[in-house]
Amino acid sequence: MPKLSELEGCVLGLVWAGGPCTPYAIRQIFLSSPSPHWSGSAGAIYPLVRRLERRRLLRSETQATGRRRSRLYALTPAGTRALQAWLSPPLPEVAVGVPADPLRTRLRFLEALPQARRRAFLADARARLHRHLRLVQADCRKRRASGDRFDYLMARGALHQMRAREAWLREVARAMKGVGKQGSRRRGA
Amino acid sequence: MPKLSELEGCVLGLVWAGGPCTPYAIRQIFLSSPSPHWSGSAGAIYPLVRRLERRRLLRSETQATGRRRSRLYALTPAGTRALQAWLSPPLPEVAVGVPADPLRTRLRFLEALPQARRRAFLADARARLHRHLRLVQADCRKRRASGDRFDYLMARGALHQMRAREAWLREVARAMKGVGKQGSRRRGA
DNA sequence: CCGCTCATGTAACTGGTTACATGATTTA
DNA sequence: TAAATCATGTAACCAGTTACATGAGCGG
């Protein structure tokens, strides 16, 4: 039994949480999520549920509304067990370590830009981050109202993250203001 | 000209920051980083620098120490420009949106576990996160001492993130304590 | 000399991506 | 009925993974 990928675990979770559903419904969840990490593309989801079905973690029944075929996927008992195993400690290293952050990665090399464009970078980052924070906030309220505790807590996690990034960018701005001119030539050797 | 992948941009940045270096040196940086996101595997790095060389963003000169061949990769002017373009606004959506977090994803479905194992999950997460936070803290001090401002600021970003996650998990623990028993049956439909 | 680590690489795989194809249903 | 969009899918591609291969240099 190969381990579940992040996306696979997540899809199992969604089917568990929402009950039997079509791949299309699953996609909508990804597409409407404020996290842009997964595209929720058809090319990802449809083959994935097929895979899970072959592994007997999902089973599907065809259903037709009018002349339209579609598939309802549901968890099998083995699927539930797999989901639980995926959730169970010990958590994989990648889940507890510092999560990747493309913004952070970029900032590391900001010195490669001339001053003016560094400021432009920061301004863009702060403005868009803030706008996105609003979205997450709204999303958080919505999920709170939905009554699903863990769904809400997850959204809270996202909110914490976004606030931390904002605070960090404030710190960066402060640090950049405090220091005089410096060229954009590379540092090493 | 296809866009640079995250890893490609990052490698360009590392070569920029550290001056001409071997693929091996680049790998060491990834391997010693406290973020487990990239494996820094040989299979990722060696083909990657070749790719960048074909695209004239890096150039390499073979050098031999004793009987040992190795390649020193350096940025070309086009490489510097590519790096700068990669850093320049507008930032890609994925860089400003909520970053992916496997821990958060898992927590969303925690209700699929029976109570006891939920608590085990949380305990494991909090303990290991805290340990990891220490690492990041140490790393942060080290980079601060190194004198590279942006390297330090990046590490600070990681620290902010980890602290936010810790605060979030505290919140989760509080929420889980506050609420009575609830089964692990799926919610939907 | 044997084995360990350094250092450069290759091979096979895989899980995602974008882009496209197809047909049903709804709306203007 | 024409256009939009809903819904299911496929095809080609690609970056990054693990696992392996190779050989240099070094310490016991």
Side-chain angles (χ1 to χ4, degrees), chain B residues 22 24 27 42-43 46 68 70:
Chain B
T22 63
Y24 184 78
R27 287 189 63 204
Y46 286 92
R68 202 156 173 167
S70 78

Short mmCIF file of all heavy atoms in Angstrom, two decimals, chain B residues 22 24 27 42-43 46 68 70, chain C residues 5-12:
data_model
loop_
_atom_site.label_atom_id
_atom_site.label_comp_id
_atom_site.label_asym_id
_atom_site.label_seq_id
_atom_site.Cartn_x
_atom_site.Cartn_y
_atom_site.Cartn_z
N THR B 22 29.31 24.82 -7.13
CA THR B 22 29.02 23.50 -7.72
C THR B 22 27.61 23.09 -7.34
O THR B 22 27.06 23.56 -6.35
CB THR B 22 29.99 22.45 -7.16
OG1 THR B 22 29.76 22.35 -5.75
CG2 THR B 22 31.43 22.84 -7.41
N TYR B 24 26.78 20.45 -6.06
CA TYR B 24 26.87 19.83 -4.75
C TYR B 24 26.68 20.86 -3.64
O TYR B 24 25.94 20.64 -2.68
CB TYR B 24 28.23 19.15 -4.58
CG TYR B 24 28.36 18.40 -3.29
CD1 TYR B 24 27.77 17.16 -3.15
CD2 TYR B 24 29.06 18.94 -2.21
CE1 TYR B 24 27.87 16.47 -1.96
CE2 TYR B 24 29.15 18.26 -1.03
CZ TYR B 24 28.55 17.02 -0.90
OH TYR B 24 28.65 16.32 0.28
N ARG B 27 23.13 21.74 -3.32
CA ARG B 27 22.40 20.70 -2.60
C ARG B 27 22.58 20.82 -1.10
O ARG B 27 21.64 20.67 -0.33
CB ARG B 27 22.91 19.32 -3.03
CG ARG B 27 22.48 18.90 -4.40
CD ARG B 27 22.85 17.46 -4.62
NE ARG B 27 22.15 16.58 -3.68
CZ ARG B 27 22.56 15.38 -3.31
NH1 ARG B 27 23.71 14.91 -3.79
NH2 ARG B 27 21.86 14.66 -2.49
N ALA B 42 19.83 14.94 -5.62
CA ALA B 42 20.69 15.06 -6.80
C ALA B 42 19.85 15.05 -8.07
O ALA B 42 20.11 15.82 -9.00
CB ALA B 42 21.71 13.93 -6.82
N GLY B 43 18.86 14.20 -8.06
CA GLY B 43 18.01 14.08 -9.24
C GLY B 43 17.25 15.34 -9.56
O GLY B 43 16.75 15.51 -10.67
N TYR B 46 20.98 18.41 -10.35
CA TYR B 46 21.89 18.29 -11.50
C TYR B 46 21.17 18.54 -12.82
O TYR B 46 21.65 19.31 -13.64
CB TYR B 46 22.60 16.93 -11.46
CG TYR B 46 23.68 16.88 -10.41
CD1 TYR B 46 23.39 16.43 -9.13
CD2 TYR B 46 24.97 17.32 -10.67
CE1 TYR B 46 24.37 16.40 -8.15
CE2 TYR B 46 25.96 17.29 -9.68
CZ TYR B 46 25.66 16.83 -8.42
OH TYR B 46 26.63 16.81 -7.45
N ARG B 68 39.92 14.91 -9.98
CA ARG B 68 38.48 14.98 -9.76
C ARG B 68 37.85 16.12 -10.55
O ARG B 68 38.21 17.26 -10.40
CB ARG B 68 38.24 15.22 -8.29
CG ARG B 68 36.89 14.81 -7.84
CD ARG B 68 37.03 14.55 -6.39
NE ARG B 68 35.82 14.29 -5.70
CZ ARG B 68 35.82 13.80 -4.48
NH1 ARG B 68 36.96 13.51 -3.88
NH2 ARG B 68 34.71 13.60 -3.85
N SER B 70 34.77 18.58 -11.64
CA SER B 70 33.56 19.16 -11.10
C SER B 70 33.25 20.42 -11.89
O SER B 70 34.08 20.93 -12.62
CB SER B 70 33.70 19.48 -9.61
OG SER B 70 34.43 20.67 -9.44
P DT C 5 29.95 7.14 6.60
OP1 DT C 5 29.59 7.55 7.97
OP2 DT C 5 29.01 6.38 5.76
"O5'" DT C 5 30.37 8.44 5.80
"C5'" DT C 5 31.55 9.15 6.17
"C4'" DT C 5 32.00 9.99 5.00
"O4'" DT C 5 32.52 9.17 3.94
"C3'" DT C 5 30.89 10.84 4.38
"O3'" DT C 5 31.38 12.15 4.26
"C2'" DT C 5 30.64 10.17 3.03
"C1'" DT C 5 32.07 9.70 2.72
N1 DT C 5 32.21 8.67 1.65
C2 DT C 5 33.16 8.87 0.68
O2 DT C 5 33.88 9.84 0.63
N3 DT C 5 33.24 7.87 -0.26
C4 DT C 5 32.47 6.72 -0.33
O4 DT C 5 32.64 5.90 -1.21
C5 DT C 5 31.50 6.57 0.73
C7 DT C 5 30.61 5.36 0.75
C6 DT C 5 31.41 7.54 1.65
P DC C 6 30.64 13.39 3.70
OP1 DC C 6 30.96 14.56 4.54
OP2 DC C 6 29.25 12.99 3.43
"O5'" DC C 6 31.38 13.59 2.30
"C5'" DC C 6 32.75 13.99 2.30
"C4'" DC C 6 33.21 14.16 0.86
"O4'" DC C 6 33.12 12.89 0.18
"C3'" DC C 6 32.39 15.14 0.03
"O3'" DC C 6 33.28 15.92 -0.74
"C2'" DC C 6 31.51 14.24 -0.84
"C1'" DC C 6 32.43 13.04 -1.05
N1 DC C 6 31.74 11.75 -1.33
C2 DC C 6 32.10 11.02 -2.46
O2 DC C 6 32.98 11.48 -3.22
N3 DC C 6 31.49 9.84 -2.71
C4 DC C 6 30.56 9.39 -1.86
N4 DC C 6 29.98 8.21 -2.14
C5 DC C 6 30.18 10.12 -0.69
C6 DC C 6 30.80 11.28 -0.47
P DA C 7 32.83 17.31 -1.31
OP1 DA C 7 34.03 18.12 -1.63
OP2 DA C 7 31.77 17.86 -0.44
"O5'" DA C 7 32.14 16.87 -2.67
"C5'" DA C 7 32.97 16.52 -3.76
"C4'" DA C 7 32.15 15.94 -4.87
"O4'" DA C 7 31.66 14.64 -4.52
"C3'" DA C 7 30.88 16.71 -5.26
"O3'" DA C 7 31.23 17.52 -6.40
"C2'" DA C 7 29.87 15.62 -5.61
"C1'" DA C 7 30.66 14.33 -5.46
N9 DA C 7 29.93 13.17 -4.94
C8 DA C 7 29.28 13.06 -3.75
N7 DA C 7 28.72 11.89 -3.56
C5 DA C 7 29.02 11.18 -4.71
C6 DA C 7 28.71 9.88 -5.14
N6 DA C 7 28.00 9.01 -4.42
N1 DA C 7 29.18 9.49 -6.36
C2 DA C 7 29.90 10.36 -7.08
N3 DA C 7 30.25 11.61 -6.79
C4 DA C 7 29.78 11.96 -5.58
P DT C 8 30.11 18.19 -7.32
OP1 DT C 8 30.75 19.27 -8.08
OP2 DT C 8 28.92 18.44 -6.50
"O5'" DT C 8 29.77 17.02 -8.34
"C5'" DT C 8 30.79 16.53 -9.19
"C4'" DT C 8 30.24 15.46 -10.10
"O4'" DT C 8 29.77 14.34 -9.31
"C3'" DT C 8 29.03 15.91 -10.92
"O3'" DT C 8 29.27 15.71 -12.30
"C2'" DT C 8 27.88 15.04 -10.40
"C1'" DT C 8 28.63 13.82 -9.91
N1 DT C 8 27.86 13.02 -8.90
C2 DT C 8 27.60 11.69 -9.14
O2 DT C 8 27.98 11.11 -10.14
N3 DT C 8 26.87 11.06 -8.17
C4 DT C 8 26.40 11.63 -7.00
O4 DT C 8 25.75 10.97 -6.19
C5 DT C 8 26.70 13.03 -6.81
C7 DT C 8 26.24 13.74 -5.57
C6 DT C 8 27.41 13.65 -7.75
P DG C 9 28.36 16.44 -13.35
OP1 DG C 9 28.98 16.27 -14.68
OP2 DG C 9 28.04 17.78 -12.87
"O5'" DG C 9 27.05 15.55 -13.27
"C5'" DG C 9 26.95 14.66 -14.26
"C4'" DG C 9 26.40 13.33 -13.79
"O4'" DG C 9 26.17 13.18 -12.38
"C3'" DG C 9 25.02 13.05 -14.33
"O3'" DG C 9 25.15 12.71 -15.70
"C2'" DG C 9 24.59 11.87 -13.49
"C1'" DG C 9 25.49 11.97 -12.24
N9 DG C 9 24.76 11.90 -10.99
C8 DG C 9 24.61 12.89 -10.07
N7 DG C 9 23.93 12.52 -9.00
C5 DG C 9 23.60 11.20 -9.25
C6 DG C 9 22.87 10.27 -8.48
O6 DG C 9 22.34 10.43 -7.37
N1 DG C 9 22.78 9.04 -9.10
C2 DG C 9 23.32 8.73 -10.33
N2 DG C 9 23.14 7.49 -10.78
N3 DG C 9 24.02 9.58 -11.06
C4 DG C 9 24.12 10.80 -10.47
P DT C 10 23.84 12.67 -16.53
OP1 DT C 10 24.28 12.72 -17.93
OP2 DT C 10 22.91 13.65 -15.96
"O5'" DT C 10 23.24 11.22 -16.22
"C5'" DT C 10 24.09 10.08 -16.28
"C4'" DT C 10 23.22 8.86 -16.04
"O4'" DT C 10 22.82 8.82 -14.65
"C3'" DT C 10 21.94 8.85 -16.86
"O3'" DT C 10 21.77 7.53 -17.35
"C2'" DT C 10 20.86 9.27 -15.84
"C1'" DT C 10 21.42 8.71 -14.55
N1 DT C 10 21.02 9.43 -13.32
C2 DT C 10 20.40 8.74 -12.32
O2 DT C 10 20.11 7.55 -12.40
N3 DT C 10 20.10 9.48 -11.20
C4 DT C 10 20.36 10.81 -10.99
O4 DT C 10 20.05 11.36 -9.93
C5 DT C 10 21.02 11.48 -12.08
C7 DT C 10 21.36 12.93 -11.94
C6 DT C 10 21.31 10.77 -13.18
P DA C 11 20.59 7.16 -18.27
OP1 DA C 11 21.09 6.08 -19.15
OP2 DA C 11 20.03 8.41 -18.86
"O5'" DA C 11 19.50 6.57 -17.27
"C5'" DA C 11 19.88 5.59 -16.30
"C4'" DA C 11 18.66 4.82 -15.84
"O4'" DA C 11 18.17 5.41 -14.61
"C3'" DA C 11 17.48 4.87 -16.82
"O3'" DA C 11 16.79 3.63 -16.72
"C2'" DA C 11 16.66 6.06 -16.32
"C1'" DA C 11 16.90 6.00 -14.81
N9 DA C 11 16.94 7.30 -14.15
C8 DA C 11 17.40 8.48 -14.67
N7 DA C 11 17.33 9.49 -13.84
C5 DA C 11 16.80 8.94 -12.68
C6 DA C 11 16.49 9.50 -11.44
N6 DA C 11 16.67 10.77 -11.12
N1 DA C 11 15.97 8.67 -10.50
C2 DA C 11 15.79 7.36 -10.81
N3 DA C 11 16.04 6.73 -11.96
C4 DA C 11 16.55 7.59 -12.87
P DA C 12 15.48 3.41 -17.60
OP1 DA C 12 15.57 2.03 -18.11
OP2 DA C 12 15.26 4.55 -18.53
"O5'" DA C 12 14.36 3.45 -16.47
"C5'" DA C 12 14.60 2.80 -15.22
"C4'" DA C 12 13.41 3.01 -14.31
"O4'" DA C 12 13.54 4.29 -13.64
"C3'" DA C 12 12.08 3.04 -15.06
"O3'" DA C 12 11.13 2.35 -14.26
"C2'" DA C 12 11.78 4.53 -15.17
"C1'" DA C 12 12.38 5.07 -13.86
N9 DA C 12 12.79 6.47 -13.91
C8 DA C 12 13.25 7.16 -14.99
N7 DA C 12 13.53 8.42 -14.72
C5 DA C 12 13.23 8.56 -13.38
C6 DA C 12 13.31 9.66 -12.51
N6 DA C 12 13.73 10.87 -12.87
N1 DA C 12 12.93 9.46 -11.23
C2 DA C 12 12.49 8.23 -10.87
N3 DA C 12 12.37 7.13 -11.61
C4 DA C 12 12.77 7.37 -12.87
#
